[in-house]
Amino acid sequence: MKIIHVLWKLLVVVALVVLFVSYRNHQIEYCTSHGGVWDYDKKTCRTDCFKWGEDFGCIKLTDEEIDIIQNCKTANCITQDMVKTICLRNQKAYNLKTQNCKFNFVKEGCNVLDGEWLYPEMCNENNK
């Protein structure tokens, strides 16, 4: 009889874990499909980040940029010029040729990357 009780308790625990994981996955999918970014540290949906990464955190947006993204009905609401502005304002490097932001950029990377890069203002502090 004890084995049956243990098995039932184990089944309940497994079911609760499965439900929790499913609910969390649903939250993440809902967040990203509605213009948000999932913050895995705070375990919440954020609308104030352009991108979130474990190694660089939140790439912050202005209120105006948040409004543009929240009211966007097409995939091309965010221009490359906006991406460049967001990137540099968040102290990240922007590649002019590929038009990509190096989100994990750190100060040690100032003026040493190969290719055509725009560097954030913090890199100018090294030259003073």
Side-chain angles (χ1 to χ4, degrees), residues 16 29 40 46 51 62 67 69 104 119:
L16 289 174
E29 286 178 30
Y40 286 87
R46 297 184 66 164
K51 186 171 178 74
T62 64
D67 287 342
I69 292 170
N104 61 351
Y119 291 97

Side-chain angles (χ1 to χ4, degrees), residues 38-41 51-58:
W38 190 258
D39 183 329
Y40 286 87
D41 283 344
K51 186 171 178 74
W52 186 93
E54 189 174 333
D55 56 339
F56 55 82
C58 174

Side-chain angles (χ1 to χ4, degrees), residues 28-47:
I28 295 168
E29 286 178 30
Y30 183 84
C31 172
T32 56
S33 67
H34 286 82
V37 175
W38 190 258
D39 183 329
Y40 286 87
D41 283 344
K42 295 182 179 179
K43 295 175 180 41
T44 188
C45 185
R46 297 184 66 164
T47 57

Side-chain angles (χ1 to χ4, degrees), residues 87-122:
C87 183
L88 294 171
R89 186 183 59 246
N90 281 275
Q91 301 301 312
K92 305 303 177 187
Y94 182 80
N95 189 296
L96 291 168
K97 188 173 183 179
T98 64
Q99 297 184 320
N100 288 319
C101 183
K102 186 169 180 64
F103 294 114
N104 61 351
F105 181 79
V106 292
K107 194 170 187 170
E108 292 74 31
C110 288
N111 305 310
V112 298
L113 298 174
D114 289 333
E116 300 175 42
W117 291 90
L118 280 178
Y119 291 97
E121 283 197 27
M122 72 175 173

Side-chain angles (χ1 to χ4, degrees), residues 1-2 4 6 8 15 19 23 27 46 55 61 63 65-66 72-73 81 90-92 94-95 104-105 108 111 116 123:
M1 233 16 184
K2 286 184 179 184
I4 292 175
V6 170
W8 274 109
L19 285 173
Y23 177 69
Q27 283 181 309
R46 297 184 66 164
D55 56 339
L61 296 168
D63 290 339
E65 292 161 346
I66 292 169
C72 185
K73 303 284 187 247
D81 203 38
N90 281 275
Q91 301 301 312
K92 305 303 177 187
Y94 182 80
N95 189 296
N104 61 351
F105 181 79
E108 292 74 31
N111 305 310
E116 300 175 42
C123 291

